[in-house]
Amino acid sequence: MPGNFGQKILKTFGLDDNQHGHGQGQPPQQYQHYQPPPQQGYPGQLPGNRHIEDGDRDLHPDKHGTYPRLARLGDGSLLTSFTHFQGKTRVLAVSRSTDGGRTFQDWGEVSRGEGDVDNVFLLEVAPGTVLGAFRNHDIGPHGPTYFRITVCRSTDAGRSWHFLSQAAEKGAPNGIWEPFMRLGRQGEVQLTYSLEFAHNNQSTMMVQSFDGGATWTQPRCLHGDCDALRDGMNGIAPTWDNGREALVMIFETTSFGTFNLEALISYDDGQTWGWRHRVYVPPQGHNAGAPQIASFADGSLAVIFMTDEDHNEVSWTQNASIKVVFAGPPQNGQIQWSKPTVICPHTSHWPGIAPVDGNTLFATFECEGRPKAKAITLH
């Protein structure tokens, strides 16, 4: 989307802004807004077969909502979070499954508010202790006036929640959005989010907590602070490159004016990033954005995203549906991505993806106002 105030308002409903950046190990790339090249599919057959189930699973028995995310706890249960609307109040709802994701029941509530409360992401940091990070912005008559990434904590597996900390906060005009969390090798919480440096420049930032989310380091830009692109909505998945531990970060960006998907690789547990490359470029004038990423136990990858490439009218982000691309693990810093496969052909938005077990990922998304999921299994 163009970098303007209208984009910030769309973010209020789960959207992400974008810019560009280069990582460690590469010189800066000068991206131009030109007609994208033909999409290159995976050159060979990916090992194994990936099956996408036909039907949808409801992530809550009766609530509507958007921006669904899923986390697997150490006890085998699954938690899902999503934004539920009650009049002017936004509720960050949590549901739970104890049968492997076949059914979900109402479970808890991270927070609620009448401001711009959205983008909740869950992470278990100790047995039964779960963090929920979300955007929590004050809204004035002309838009956001103050921006926060707020963290709440549950010590009873997501049932009850209490305020814990502000991972990041700042005044207007440039915003912060879309937190993502993972555990680093030292057990620290790595929280990444999108920060606008300017209307045409957004980058991925990271703060770290070494005390379970109670306090946070100063924000550090991971890539792209000097590039006039809008990188955003990042997600990170672990994998291997010829036996070497690696992380792959997915994000949307604006290399061609509209949104496309790109990725970075880290070989030092997320401290530095490089090997930037394109994951998916939609046809000219169309968008592919709001991505998330997960890995199977064999290190192969799946990136879920929403795109308007099959819609006659480009009205981003309203006209969109959900697709997925796959790849094997990196090979010497190179990743070959497949052509996209449809997850939900209907109007659908704000997907997530997370492992349920070594051979099963759950793709989550909003369809017809309801939080839904589909299993992707590797055989």
Side-chain angles (χ1 to χ4, degrees), residues 98-361:
T98 57
D99 58 9
R102 287 184 288 275
T103 61
F104 287 84
Q105 302 300 321
D106 190 71
W107 184 241
E109 179 181 305
V110 177
S111 186
R112 62 169 56 206
E114 295 190 2
D116 182 7
V117 178
D118 205 341
N119 294 158
V120 64
F121 189 92
L122 303 179
L123 176 71
E124 186 179 41
V125 296
T129 299
V130 186
L131 301 184
F134 55 97
R135 79 176 193 228
N136 179 20
H137 304 340
D138 295 340
I139 302 295
H142 304 292
T145 59
Y146 197 79
F147 300 89
R148 303 176 193 84
I149 301 296
T150 297
V151 178
C152 290
R153 179 171 63 188
S154 170
T155 56
D156 55 6
R159 183 64 169 169
S160 60
W161 294 84
H162 306 279
F163 170 80
L164 182 61
S165 60
Q166 305 291 3
E169 55 185 319
K170 67 180 298 295
N174 297 321
I176 51 180
W177 319 90
E178 305 122 11
F180 175 93
M181 292 185 293
R182 64 176 297 271
L183 288 177
R185 290 177 188 162
Q186 304 175 63
E188 81 280 12
V189 182
Q190 297 181 4
L191 188 153
T192 50
Y193 62 94
S194 307
L195 166 67
E196 295 171 311
F197 284 95
H199 75 281
N200 64 343
N201 183 348
Q202 181 173 273
S203 295
T204 300
M205 308 293 291
M206 181 171 72
V207 293
Q208 299 181 90
S209 176
F210 294 87
D211 55 10
T215 62
W216 299 88
T217 60
Q218 288 298 306
R220 181 166 61 89
C221 185
L222 296 183
H223 63 95
D225 54 321
C226 297
D227 300 314
L229 294 176
R230 296 185 64 84
D231 297 348
M233 296 202 78
N234 88 98
I236 299 170
T239 183
W240 298 272
D241 186 337
N242 293 301
R244 184 184 182 190
E245 289 186 4
L247 299 173
V248 179
M249 178 195 295
I250 188 70
F251 51 94
E252 65 180 16
T253 192
T254 48
S255 297
F256 307 101
T258 52
F259 283 118
N260 66 284
L261 308 181
E262 300 187 8
L264 291 159
I265 305 175
S266 173
Y267 294 100
D268 57 7
D269 199 37
Q271 300 305 308
T272 61
W273 297 85
W275 297 270
R276 181 164 178 151
H277 64 279
R278 293 185 182 125
V279 174
Y280 186 67
V281 179
Q284 184 177 17
H286 288 270
N287 297 272
Q292 287 290 284
I293 188 170
S295 53
F296 293 101
D298 68 352
S300 62
L301 301 161
V303 166
I304 193 171
F305 61 98
M306 63 191 227
T307 177
D308 59 13
E309 64 184 4
D310 297 329
H311 293 259
N312 293 327
E313 178 186 358
V314 175
S315 180
W316 189 251
T317 60
Q318 299 306 308
N319 291 347
S321 52
I322 308 301
K323 296 187 178 183
V324 65
V325 294
F326 299 106
Q331 298 291 325
N332 301 315
Q334 304 293 315
I335 304 177
Q336 298 292 334
W337 296 92
S338 72
K339 293 182 178 180
T341 301
V342 174
I343 292 286
C344 180
H346 311 294
T347 300
S348 44
H349 300 89
W350 314 123
I353 193 166
V356 175
D357 58 47
N359 295 313
T360 308
L361 308 177

Side-chain angles (χ1 to χ4, degrees), residues 87-108:
K88 294 182 178 180
T89 301
R90 298 183 181 203
V91 179
L92 303 181
V94 176
S95 55
R96 178 175 181 251
S97 174
T98 57
D99 58 9
R102 287 184 288 275
T103 61
F104 287 84
Q105 302 300 321
D106 190 71
W107 184 241

